[in-house]
Amino acid sequence: MSTAFETLAAGLGLAGFALYLGSYFALQMRLISGQGVAYPLLNLIAASCVLVDLQFSYHLPSTLIQISWISISLIGLWRAVVHARRN
């Protein structure tokens, strides 16, 4: 039987999945830019949601992927903010 936390984490994992697909779809449809803040921010949120879910169903490779997405997204956010400040 799952606890309320596990159920919440599973919901966050599904939300992360939807954010991953939605942000990539928006990028491909040119609704958002890969150079702006939106895409890395959405990926950061998506990876964080999936990472929370992985705490209840731990899988090392998946955890490493999410940590990598978070790291890359933080770099992308930093670059977008620096670029915006320069302009």
Side-chain angles (χ1 to χ4, degrees):
M1 181 181 288
S2 65
T3 67
F5 289 118
E6 289 173 317
T7 302
L8 178 61
L12 284 173
L14 288 173
F17 159 76
L19 279 172
Y20 271 136
L21 287 182
S23 65
Y24 189 59
F25 179 78
L27 180 70
Q28 293 302 313
M29 296 295 106
R30 297 191 174 138
L31 301 171
I32 59 176
S33 169
Q35 308 304 313
V37 172
Y39 187 64
L41 181 61
L42 289 170
N43 277 292
L44 174 67
I45 295 168
S48 298
C49 289
V50 172
L51 189 60
V52 168
D53 185 28
L54 283 168
Q55 300 314 300
F56 292 95
S57 56
Y58 186 73
H59 184 249
L60 180 61
S62 296
T63 300
L64 293 174
I65 289 170
Q66 301 317 312
I67 291 169
S68 298
W69 273 110
I70 289 169
S71 300
I72 293 166
S73 295
L74 287 171
I75 293 167
L77 282 171
W78 177 77
R79 292 186 72 201
V81 169
V82 167
H83 185 272
R85 285 186 181 169
R86 286 184 185 163
N87 293 334

